[in-house]
Amino acid sequence: MARKREIIAPHGAISKIAKDTGFSVPTVRYALRGVTNNGNADVIRKRAIEIYGCVYARG
């Protein structure tokens, strides 16, 4: 399966997303990198874009 596009998070956003969603920091990191592709990763990616000002990486 192909990786999803990477999402770039501002400084400190990953730990805030982890606390907000209840997932661990490595889980959030892998979801934003596009390594994991499941329902949890979709929730994390959606919240990162909508609430925390994260953006898609070029490419």
Side-chain angles (χ1 to χ4, degrees):
M1 193 188 289
R3 286 176 67 165
K4 291 193 173 190
R5 286 176 57 192
E6 185 174 355
I7 295 177
I8 306 297
H11 183 75
I14 292 177
S15 59
K16 290 179 185 176
I17 295 168
K19 183 181 279 188
D20 183 39
T21 58
F23 298 116
S24 67
V25 171
T27 301
V28 172
R29 234 182 305 144
Y30 288 136
L32 295 181
R33 285 186 196 158
V35 174
T36 57
N37 187 15
N38 56 30
N40 293 344
D42 291 339
V43 168
I44 292 167
R45 294 168 67 83
K46 184 176 179 183
R47 286 185 84 78
I49 295 291
E50 293 177 353
I51 297 173
Y52 291 97
C54 300
V55 296
Y56 286 105
R58 285 193 240 171

